[in-house]
Amino acid sequence: MARQWRGLLHEYADRLNITSATPIITLGEGGTPLIPAPALSERTGAKVYVKFEGMNPTGSFKDRGMTMAISKAVEAGAKAVICASTGNTSASAAAYAAYAGITAAVLVPEGKISMGKLSQAVAHNAQILQLQGNFDDCLDIARDLAENYPVHLVNSVNNDRIEGQKTAAYEIVEVLGRAPDFHFIPVGNAGNYTAYHRGYREEITRGATHVLPRMFGFQAAGSAPLVNGAPVLKPETLATAIRIGKPASWDLAIAAKEDSNGYFGAITDEGILAAQRILSADVGVFVEPASAISVAGLLERAEAGAIPKGSVCVLTVTGHGLKDPQYALKRPDGTEVSPEVVAVNTAEIASVLGLAKVK
Ligand code: F0G
């Protein structure tokens, strides 16, 4: 029988804070594909791989942190968890809480999470509140509630989340036999940026690689506090997953950037959508807009001459395209794509497809 991937906490039990007292709440997360991307290698002269985190159980990388955070919450006796979210964290918290048989309460910014993500939180029976504010307001309230009421916080300010997420770096080193030269990643709260850096550092300590990747993080131009060096009070971007003005892991991210000779860059919404199209049309990987920023960042840095030819580059694409498909159905000029309607007639359809008859 083929061996089935057992989820992070089983696969990496010896490298995480798991004991016999920890109930393992898993949906089989992790073990995601690292896909070579020849079309991006050709464009940039680098050796490019895409770490497709949309292949996790709820369709985003959040499941890596959530298996750990919910398992530790249940170990600590929690009956309810809470999180602030731009959508993916709420979907993941709701699913893992459902599996564990505990309550998930989620705070989301009103009208600013995609329908796919909202439908997940609803399906998994979370208590969902839309706040009349942005993500940063939601996180302030979630922290306040966790401090003063019997609810366990599962945002990435909870270190268990970062611990789970760092395992993606382990997987990359295992597949490549070394760490990449550059790691490109979207940045919102900068929890994932911090987690990969931690994972790679541990791989060096363990002797699994000698390379510390330069951590290249990208934010949307309308919500780029780490690039600007100051919080953004009214963050705006169509990439709602990373519409964050006050990154919770600010200090950890700056430390990771300094340690790895890293970089923070900003990409316009147009640049994000162009990269999303390139990835889906030329590589066959469909991601949500926020995730495409890794691709946009690579193309921008390669264009700027910052990526030496032959460099090994890994791009984390954080969430599946089905999470937020609306932009894929639009052309670059904003008009809707609507497939042509035809009669049930082979000859007519062949002619529309431009096919010449061979027999
Ligand atoms: N990509 C996606 C698809 C995300 O959902 C997020 C964050 C990020 C990137 C950024 O990760 O915050 O660790 O820097 N989403 C959070 C949420 C905020 O609530 O789902 P980060």
Side-chain angles (χ1 to χ4, degrees):
M1 200 176 89
R3 178 181 169 277
Q4 177 165 299
W5 177 266
R6 296 165 301 161
L8 301 179
L9 302 195
H10 289 298
E11 298 289 341
Y12 298 116
D14 53 333
R15 297 160 73 183
L16 294 168
N17 179 22
I18 295 299
T19 69
S20 53
T22 313
I24 296 195
I25 309 299
T26 178
L27 295 169
E29 59 296 313
T32 56
L34 185 67
I35 305 170
L40 297 178
S41 299
E42 261 165 50
R43 276 178 186 261
T44 57
K47 284 196 201 107
V48 184
Y49 298 84
V50 174
K51 181 71 168 157
F52 191 13
E53 289 288 279
M55 296 299 285
N56 277 296
T58 76
S60 87
F61 74 98
K62 303 289 180 180
D63 297 341
R64 291 182 185 275
M66 211 51 77
T67 182
M68 186 75 182
I70 299 285
S71 297
K72 296 303 277 185
V74 173
E75 181 180 347
K79 297 281 179 276
V81 295
I82 190 158
C83 66
S85 183
T86 56
N88 282 323
T89 299
S90 61
S92 186
Y96 284 79
Y99 191 95
I102 62 173
T103 302
V106 307
L107 308 179
V108 301
E110 183 187 10
K112 294 292 181 187
I113 85 167
S114 74
M115 211 207 294
K117 298 171 191 177
L118 185 61
S119 70
Q120 290 180 286
V122 172
H124 297 306
N125 227 2
Q127 291 186 298
I128 309 162
L129 295 175
Q130 299 198 58
L131 266 64
Q132 295 169 324
N134 61 31
F135 170 85
D136 305 301
D137 300 316
C138 294
L139 185 57
D140 286 345
I141 302 281
R143 293 173 98 144
D144 217 1
L145 287 169
E147 216 160 280
N148 298 298
Y149 298 84
V151 282
H152 191 99
L153 187 66
V154 293
N155 279 107
S156 59
V157 290
N158 175 341
N159 187 53
D160 295 330
R161 283 275 313 279
I162 310 273
E163 284 291 298
Q165 286 172 205
K166 73 183 181 186
T167 58
Y170 299 170
E171 292 172 17
I172 291 164
V173 171
E174 201 169 322
V175 171
L176 295 179
R178 53 162 285 184
D181 299 306
F182 293 86
H183 192 106
F184 292 79
I185 188 164
V187 172
N189 276 308
N192 213 27
Y193 181 94
T194 302
Y196 274 86
H197 173 261
R198 185 184 295 177
Y200 286 129
R201 263 279 165 227
E202 289 181 8
E203 288 294 72
I204 291 174
T205 305
R206 218 166 61 89
T209 184
H210 299 295
V211 183
L212 180 66
R214 297 183 64 186
M215 294 297 304
F216 276 35
F218 293 86
Q219 301 196 291
S223 84
L226 286 161
V227 181
N228 304 344
V232 174
L233 291 183
K234 293 200 183 322
E236 274 311 337
T237 170
L238 59 77
T240 51
I242 51 171
R243 188 173 168 274
I244 292 172
K246 265 192 322 184
S249 292
W250 186 295
D251 294 342
L252 292 172
I254 297 287
K257 175 185 170 242
E258 284 174 2
D259 183 52
S260 74
N261 190 18
Y263 178 82
F264 292 128
I267 303 288
T268 62
D269 281 1
E270 296 71 40
I272 290 172
L273 291 184
Q276 185 191 31
R277 280 184 211 103
I278 290 168
L279 191 65
S280 42
D282 297 351
V283 184
V285 173
F286 185 31
V287 301
E288 64 171 286
S291 306
I293 206 167
S294 297
V295 179
L298 167 71
L299 297 177
E300 190 272 329
R301 286 291 82 198
E303 183 76 18
I307 313 298
K309 301 288 170 211
S311 303
V312 177
C313 294
V314 170
L315 282 52
T316 295
V317 292
T318 43
H320 203 286
L322 296 174
K323 290 273 195 177
D324 189 7
Q326 58 174 315
Y327 298 102
L329 291 168
K330 290 195 167 79
R331 296 188 187 84
D333 67 4
T335 56
E336 288 286 330
V337 176
S338 174
E340 188 175 342
V341 177
V342 291
V344 184
N345 179 303
T346 305
E348 201 178 302
I349 292 170
S351 143
V352 173
L353 293 175
L355 298 172
K357 202 154 197 250
V358 290
K359 65 173 189 179

